[in-house]
């Protein structure tokens, strides 16, 4: 399957700029679940779809491999299949990083960021009530982007983004369950209140609970119990 670019990129002359635009386009598709787990991304086919030479497309694909979004195969690139232990490991990393990041964000929270958080939370609640899963996923991503945007350590924020993205396939599958969505909305509400209070300690505690609840909900919805149960996104 060829993934076409949302906008022409021929006007950008430098290979690194072309690769950056292809990277951003593919990353957006991966984050929104528009690349199926069994779909092969072939550099030549993608280049044809983008109207580009092969090299900037390959550069973008290799960058996504280096960041853990894709793996290379003999027939192109694909989304890695995560086993239950992989998902547990990712959540462990998130549990170590996100409470501290939330505390940093709470201490530097701006009125503009709070407004963005409130808008995203309201949209999450509306989408949950309407069983609009796609909109809820987008709103959840907007909420995350708003608070991570207030984290002073940009490398920390980027690392969190990446590890959250790595369980996106699990999230897309488990958010089909209404009980899981209710847990997510409740957790976002607690986080929003902590950020509104600009209380680092409270934000840290809420984020720790949010990650723990999300992990438990995802495993329940996916029907995965132990670390050797095989791919969590099958």
């Amino acid at each position: 399957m060829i993934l076409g670019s949302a906008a022409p990129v021929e006007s950008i002359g430098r290979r690194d700029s072309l690769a950056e635009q292809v990277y951003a386009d593919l990353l957006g598709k991966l984050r929104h679940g528009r690349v199926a787990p069994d779909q092969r991304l072939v550099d030549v086919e993608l280049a044809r779809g983008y109207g580009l030479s092969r090299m900037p497309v390959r550069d973008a694909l290799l960058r996504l491999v280096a960041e853990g979004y894709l793996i290379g195969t003999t027939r192109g690139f694909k989304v890695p299949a995560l086993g239950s232990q992989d998902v547990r490991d990712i959540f462990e990393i998130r549990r170590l990083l996100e409470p501290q990041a939330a505390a940093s964000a709470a201490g530097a929270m701006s009125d503009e960021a709070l407004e963005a958080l409130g808008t995203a939370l309201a949209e999450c609640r509306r989408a949950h009530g309407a069983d609009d899963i796609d909109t809820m996923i987008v709103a959840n991503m907007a909420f995350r982007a708003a608070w991570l945007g207030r984290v002073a350590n940009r490398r920390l924020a980027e690392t969190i983004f990446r590890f959250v993205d790595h369980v996106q396939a699990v999230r897309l599958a488990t958010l089909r369950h209404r009980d899981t969505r209710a847990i997510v909305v409740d957790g976002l509400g607690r986080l929003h209140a902590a950020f509104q209070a600009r209380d680092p300690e409270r934000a840290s505690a809420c984020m720790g609970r949010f990650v723990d609840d999300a992990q438990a909900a995802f495993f329940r919805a996916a029907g995965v119990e132990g670390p050797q149960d095989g791919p969590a996104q099958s």
Side-chain angles (χ1 to χ4, degrees), residues 71-190:
I71 58 172
T73 74
T74 56
R75 295 184 290 120
F77 300 85
K78 66 185 289 290
V79 176
L82 298 178
S84 58
Q85 189 58 45
D86 295 317
V87 177
R88 290 182 190 280
D89 290 346
I90 290 169
F91 270 107
E92 181 180 1
I93 293 168
R94 291 184 58 189
R95 186 65 175 77
L96 292 169
L97 298 181
E98 292 186 37
Q100 179 59 43
S104 171
M109 192 56 60
S110 67
D111 291 341
E112 293 79 9
L114 282 173
E115 182 177 358
L117 287 169
T119 299
L121 176 60
E123 186 69 354
C124 267
R125 286 171 170 161
R126 186 204 65 77
H128 171 53
D131 288 328
D132 185 349
I133 299 167
D134 291 338
T135 297
M136 183 172 173
I137 290 169
V138 172
N140 190 15
M141 290 171 63
F143 188 96
R144 185 186 316 124
W147 75 262
L148 280 173
R150 301 306 301 167
V151 176
N153 186 330
R154 298 315 304 155
R155 287 182 174 83
L156 174 59
E158 290 166 5
T159 300
I160 290 170
F161 259 123
R162 192 170 302 159
F163 279 105
V164 171
D165 288 342
H166 287 178
V167 291
Q168 181 70 345
V170 179
R171 178 181 298 105
L172 291 170
T174 58
L175 282 180
R176 306 290 169 188
H177 298 257
R178 188 171 180 83
D179 288 348
T180 301
R181 297 201 302 275
I183 290 169
V184 170
V185 170
D186 183 59
L188 293 181
R190 289 194 301 270

Side-chain angles (χ1 to χ4, degrees), residues 12 18 112 116 229:
I12 303 175
L18 290 167
E112 293 79 9
D229 293 321

Side-chain angles (χ1 to χ4, degrees), residues 2-37:
I2 298 174
L3 295 178
S5 176
V9 295
E10 296 89 337
S11 61
I12 303 175
R14 292 167 47 196
R15 172 175 154 182
D16 58 344
S17 296
L18 290 167
E20 181 68 30
Q21 188 163 339
V22 174
Y23 167 85
D25 187 60
L26 290 175
L27 180 59
K29 289 179 168 66
L30 288 163
R31 283 177 167 169
H32 287 85
R34 294 172 187 161
V35 180

